Amino acid sequence: MRRVLGEDDRGVGLAALVRDGERATPPVRWAWDDTNRWYPDLLDAGVRVERAHDLRLAHAILRRSPLTAHTPFARAPAGPWDALEPEPAGPPPLVPGAHPAALGLFDLGLIELGDAAGGRRAGRADLDPHTEDAAQDAALADATAPGRLRFLLAAESAGALVAAELHHTGLPWRADVHEAILTERLGPRPAPGQRPERLEALAVRIREALDAPPTLNPDSHPSLLKAMQYAGVGTKSLSKWELADVDHPVVAPLLEYKSLSRLLTANGWNWLDTWVRDGRFRSEYVVGGVVTGRWSSVGGGALQLPKQVRRAVVADPGWTLVVADVAQLEPRVLAAMSGDEAMAAAGRGGDMYAGIVASGAVATRELAKVGMLGAMYGGTTGASAQVLPSLARAFPRAIALVEDAARAGERGEVVATWLGRGSPRPGESWAQAQAGAYAADPSAGPGASGRAAADAAARARSVTRSWGRFTRNFVVQGTAAEWALAWLASARRRLWALGECDDAPSAGDGVFARRPHLAFFLHDEVVVHTPAAWADDVARELREAAAEAGRLLFGDAPVEFPLTVATVASYADAK
């Protein structure tokens, strides 16, 4: 049974209403405008939701999918549901020492805080969830492949539940360990407005190597590049790859300065003070935040935690971390989508790239990796281009699938993932480039008109190929994101079914205090925070969830999705 929740349901009785619905057999599937508008308050009240339908996320998919392009739902003019922005899962982080009025720095511009019913946010009274739910059902009924789309909407909505729970539980984070890492790498915490000791020492070395004045600021790229040109360094950028080929005393301190500066900016003391509270790092995940369906994050850089700070991710006493990631997810997804049995066979036994070498397609594992990445991302030069013909002969169906997607993109067509998420259409620059090429006179001769025609044609070819590279990868990366959503949904259900560990120390308040739970997600990797005694059970369930995700998407396709699983006290020890 599905129950649509609207503004009339927001109030003091919401938690009791949902709790009763969760006790039904089967539990109610709740339909609401945005999971983050409803679920965080329920979690705070001790209520976990088994199933939901996120109308905002579903609306975006149904409006853009080629499987519903012919329906009135997809063909209707843009409306308020199209303009709906994702809600944050919680209030803005507190900036130490900042007055509350200064928190506009973190204002997402999504919707105002507070509402009369006591929930997190108000507004959206003009959006009728009942009407939207009925319109989505009608679009699904008229879709070309409704089963695939229904699965995609269920997986996307399950992902929204996971994202809210990840924010609610947070990732265990030892502030003292993080402080020690920063002190070890950068020196003691500096006074406000000052460089850390190690960076200041490197800045002095950079100035000395360039014979530059004390006023040179290494953080100012224009000033630094100008000083390097005056010193005859012979580099046109500050790229690590270009600097590596330069023989000059400034290179070593500059590369070290850039590395330490990234640490300070991305995960320094300000980050620690802002994002870590009560032993937890809570970031805002944005489900479907990338056009392919991959997640993004708002603030805190959850999807870019560098290895040098992962030592601070430490399980609570009596608990441990189970870290699992799938090997070569995108090539495996490509093999399953295309039905390429030879490529599927190469992936059996664990390392697909080693299997490609064993098949005789290429000579080394590195060539196999470079070649497959080139095939999926459109590599047209170097080693990837050289081995692509060999890969096409060995795995014709897989390579044909991405080549067909690239040609469709070059024609300006929409392509779709396995479950039906549609790619965006090329933008105005693509259309202008094509129009410019058509308007130019290719027979104008060697003069200015001829050069203009040649330039217009070259630009059109470049833009066309670029969009083809995007659609080539869209179908694979988007389907990999769908597999990951199915994996998350299965893992979430299985971990909950393990129940509570009565012997475990409490890991906070709420429904997950003594239960293993997802704590972190990164595209093809998850971290579970679990009572230590249950680590083996968690590892088993994660592996079974991966196998289930493969079956749900691809049926009996002979493609394996093997996991690398590690049980560790600190995230840094997982790899």
Side-chain angles (χ1 to χ4, degrees):
M1 181 178 74
R2 186 152 83 190
R3 167 72 187 273
V4 180
L5 296 178
E7 291 303 309
D8 292 343
D9 297 301
R10 293 178 67 82
V12 294
L14 176 63
L17 170 70
V18 175
R19 187 179 285 110
D20 289 343
E22 289 298 311
R23 291 170 179 160
T25 305
V28 171
R29 183 186 294 275
W30 308 97
W32 45 41
D33 58 354
D34 188 331
T35 298
N36 278 354
R37 257 191 106 221
W38 297 80
Y39 196 29
D41 286 331
L42 292 170
L43 287 169
D44 289 346
V47 180
R48 175 188 178 272
V49 167
E50 178 69 23
R51 304 184 304 164
H53 178 77
D54 191 303
L55 293 167
R56 180 186 65 82
L57 292 171
H59 181 93
I61 291 172
L62 293 174
R63 288 280 281 172
R64 299 169 191 155
S65 174
L67 305 182
T68 53
H70 60 283
T71 66
F73 186 91
R75 297 168 68 88
W81 283 92
D82 296 287
L84 206 56
E85 295 285 347
E87 285 259 333
L94 294 177
V95 181
H99 187 275
L103 294 181
L105 172 66
F106 294 95
D107 182 8
L108 301 178
L110 303 178
I111 206 156
E112 293 184 4
L113 301 180
D115 67 41
R120 277 178 163 77
R121 298 162 184 91
R124 309 193 182 200
D126 57 327
L127 301 178
D128 183 354
H130 298 273
T131 301
E132 175 66 19
D133 187 59
Q136 291 186 13
D137 273 349
L140 280 167
D142 196 23
T144 303
R148 290 191 177 190
L149 272 179
R150 289 185 191 280
F151 182 19
L152 175 56
L153 299 189
E156 188 95 331
S157 297
L161 294 176
V162 171
E165 290 170 1
L166 288 171
H167 184 275
H168 177 78
T169 60
L171 182 65
W173 201 282
R174 287 274 301 275
D176 60 329
V177 175
H178 193 144
E179 285 269 10
I181 293 169
L182 296 177
T183 301
E184 172 189 318
R185 299 294 309 279
L186 299 169
R189 181 189 283 240
Q194 300 296 313
R195 282 193 186 92
E197 182 180 280
R198 186 78 175 277
L199 277 177
E200 185 57 41
L202 288 167
V204 171
R205 288 178 57 194
I206 290 169
R207 296 185 192 110
E208 291 174 347
L210 296 175
D211 195 21
T215 56
L216 175 65
N217 179 7
D219 298 312
S220 171
H221 284 201
S223 298
L224 183 58
L225 272 174
K226 185 179 293 186
M228 293 172 71
Q229 290 168 2
Y230 285 152
V233 176
T235 179
K236 296 181 179 179
S237 77
L238 298 179
S239 161
K240 179 173 69 173
W241 313 113
E242 187 171 350
L243 288 172
D245 293 331
V246 174
D247 183 15
H248 192 278
V250 77
V251 171
L254 179 55
L255 288 175
E256 187 176 1
Y257 186 95
K258 285 164 60 71
S259 174
L260 294 181
S261 182
R262 281 194 297 271
L263 172 61
L264 176 65
T265 302
N267 300 100
W269 288 279
N270 184 63
W271 183 95
L272 178 61
D273 294 342
T274 302
W275 291 103
V276 177
R277 284 285 181 277
D278 302 321
R280 293 293 187 270
F281 164 49
R282 291 180 172 85
S283 182
E284 295 280 355
Y285 290 97
V286 182
V287 177
V290 180
V291 293
T292 59
R294 274 189 166 191
W295 291 13
S296 61
S297 65
V298 178
L303 302 181
Q304 300 179 29
L305 289 183
K307 292 183 178 180
Q308 55 193 339
V309 300
R310 291 185 181 184
R311 275 195 284 144
V313 182
V314 180
D316 290 352
W319 289 60
T320 194
L321 303 175
V322 178
V323 182
D325 69 286
V326 59
Q328 301 112 21
L329 175 57
E330 290 187 358
R332 295 176 190 280
V333 161
L334 175 57
M337 292 174 68
S338 63
D340 195 313
E341 294 188 2
M343 191 168 171
R348 294 191 195 113
D351 187 342
M352 174 171 274
Y353 298 136
I356 291 175
V357 174
S359 74
V362 296
T364 68
R365 186 184 184 280
E366 183 61 24
L367 284 176
K369 181 176 181 179
V370 169
M372 285 309 308
L373 291 177
M376 293 184 295
Y377 285 85
T380 57
T381 60
S384 61
Q386 294 172 13
V387 301
L388 187 56
S390 298
L391 293 176
R393 287 191 295 271
F395 314 116
R397 298 185 67 173
I399 303 303
L401 187 147
V402 289
E403 291 291 339
D404 289 346
R407 301 293 86 76
E410 290 172 359
R411 294 191 297 269
E413 299 171 3
V414 170
V415 297
T417 62
W418 182 252
L419 295 180
R421 190 188 302 270
S423 66
R425 293 189 179 278
E428 184 63 25
S429 61
W430 184 92
Q432 290 176 352
Q434 309 308 313
Y438 284 122
D441 182 2
S443 61
S449 297
R451 289 196 298 273
D455 289 346
R459 172 166 170 72
R461 286 193 299 271
S462 175
V463 172
T464 296
R465 286 195 297 267
S466 177
W467 197 255
R469 286 193 295 272
F470 165 72
T471 52
R472 170 194 297 271
N473 182 246
F474 181 93
V475 295
V476 181
Q477 187 183 113
T479 304
E482 291 166 355
W483 180 92
L485 283 171
W487 183 35
L488 284 176
S490 178
R492 174 180 183 263
R493 187 189 73 247
R494 290 168 177 274
L495 293 175
W496 183 259
L498 289 175
E500 293 188 340
C501 182
D502 295 333
D503 297 333
S506 176
D509 300 323
V511 295
F512 298 104
R514 287 187 168 84
R515 289 177 176 271
H517 54 267
L518 292 162
F520 185 68
F521 170 59
L522 180 63
H523 303 319
D524 57 3
E525 180 176 314
V526 298
V527 178
V528 175
H529 194 211
T530 178
W534 287 13
D536 290 344
D537 300 284
V538 167
R540 180 192 66 243
E541 296 299 339
L542 290 176
R543 287 191 172 97
E544 292 185 1
E548 182 180 29
R551 291 193 302 272
L552 288 171
L553 261 74
F554 306 117
D556 58 358
V559 178
E560 297 177 352
F561 294 91
L563 299 185
T564 299
V565 182
T567 299
V568 293
S570 169
Y571 189 16
D573 297 331
K575 292 183 179 179

